[in-house]
Amino acid sequence: MTAFHSPPSLLAWRALLALAVVFVLLMTTGWTAARDQPGPRGPREAALAAWRDGRAGPHRLPDPASPASAITRFFRSLTVTQRDRLAARHPLVVGNLDGAPVGLRYRANRHALRQARDAERRRVDDERLSPDGHREAVRRLHRFTSLLREGRQILAFDPTGKGRAAEVFGDLERAQRVSVVVPGVDTDLLTFQRTARRYSAPVGMAESLYAAERAAAPRTRTAVVAWADYTAPVGVGVEAATGGLAADGARRLAGVTGALPGGSKVSLFCHSYGSVVCGLAAPRLPPRVTDVAVAGSPGMRAESAAALGTRARVWAMRDADDWIGDLPYLEVGGLGHGADPVTPEFGARVLSADGAAGHAGYFEPGTESLRNLARIGVGSYDGVRCAGADSACRSGISGGNAV
């Protein structure tokens, strides 16, 4: 049920609407997604198996599930040569290890991308592929080639299935402020960046936010992470209406925020289903995460900002033309994501989204929505514009200047 008090007739109408949506989703998608079906071992599983049997000189290799602090200690115990050998021999592991040196992860992921590109090139030439298979292989080949472009800083990469990735803009190790962009449904390697509708994809979102933050606070050292390192739902189906994939994403998100180098303050910017991920991650976020801002949210799996269990400030925005506002904001039997974050009863700091123009426009350059996100990212809270005519969203915040 929702956190705010509504007339019984309205609550009943919302419940019926939710059940109708669920019925349609079940009829069109079914309960079980294709990704849950067993299949051949993927590149990541093969890489983990090889890692378990490997060594670095006399050292046994740590469990990849070890805490980031243990991974950091392990790599500090190695020589530069030993680190580089591990990155070359086990790129799909080293490139995704929270706690491993950032520069080493970048190098490891370049090795992994070259291997994936070469494998995809062989697939493109395979005459046994169906026309659809050939088209997908060509698209993946182009994506891997693009990610290998000089200067790109790939923090995470896994070509298994539809794939996952994360990319850094700026100097992550020297940044005073780090922003992490968490995208929503239909995010995978092929949609990690787009030419058309550029700012609706993770790379475009992060690039736009990075430029806006530099404009908002030129003297503040910033970095932005386009974080698509979780398995997102495909389409608006049952997966998007439930929290299973978000729960795994939340675990991964909490891990990466805790393992970021240095002592930077961190802000999360969560779009659409990404706000479900951020909501579930909230209780596990480290203290360095000062702000969680959601845009176009279907709910955060909580009935209020206080119920998220985080010390971070919680911000929310939704454009008047965003279709997601027409969805029923409730949770019934695990379906739906709870209360609407932009309602007063939820208790978030509600921001202006002027100019966003629909569900995918929050990171478009020149919009008030982007300027607000950038001001939060650099800590310039006194410049944030609230959704209402007053300054309620800025109340109680001290230190409104960029750090």
Side-chain angles (χ1 to χ4, degrees), residues 86-144:
L86 281 181
R89 291 175 181 171
H90 305 280
L92 275 178
V93 178
V94 175
N96 294 284
L97 271 182
D98 289 334
V102 168
L104 188 68
R105 290 181 66 170
Y106 294 160
R107 293 196 295 277
N109 283 321
R110 290 192 71 81
H111 286 303
L113 278 161
R114 290 190 191 101
Q115 293 175 3
R117 177 198 59 190
D118 294 345
E120 214 61 46
R121 187 174 285 148
R122 291 190 291 271
R123 284 190 69 228
V124 167
D125 295 333
D126 189 342
E127 295 181 354
R128 296 170 296 177
L129 279 181
S130 67
D132 286 344
H134 183 265
R135 279 191 292 271
E136 181 179 0
V138 169
R139 291 181 66 198
R140 285 170 63 91
L141 175 59
H142 289 166
R143 173 62 65 243
F144 300 152

Side-chain angles (χ1 to χ4, degrees), residues 77 133 183 213 221 239 353 364 370 396 400:
S77 73
E213 288 184 350
R221 297 192 303 274
E239 285 182 334
E364 285 280 346
L370 176 64

Side-chain angles (χ1 to χ4, degrees), residues 24 58 66 83 90 93 161 175-176 250 264 269 299-300 306 322 331 338 346 351 385 400:
V24 171
S66 301
R83 293 180 188 179
H90 305 280
V93 178
Q176 297 164 289
S264 57
F269 298 98
M300 300 181 72
D322 190 338
E331 187 272 326
F346 188 81
L351 298 159
R385 183 181 165 199

Side-chain angles (χ1 to χ4, degrees), residues 225-300:
V225 183
W227 190 82
D229 193 25
Y230 82 104
T231 301
V234 177
V236 187
V238 169
E239 285 182 334
T242 57
L245 294 179
D248 179 66
R251 177 185 59 78
R252 301 174 70 85
L253 180 60
V256 73
T257 53
L260 291 171
S264 57
K265 295 182 179 179
V266 179
S267 300
L268 305 184
F269 298 98
C270 322
H271 178 244
S272 193
Y273 188 83
S275 65
V276 185
V277 176
C278 291
L280 291 176
R284 291 176 281 180
L285 295 175
R288 70 191 302 184
V289 177
T290 58
D291 298 273
V292 177
V294 301
S297 173
M300 300 181 72

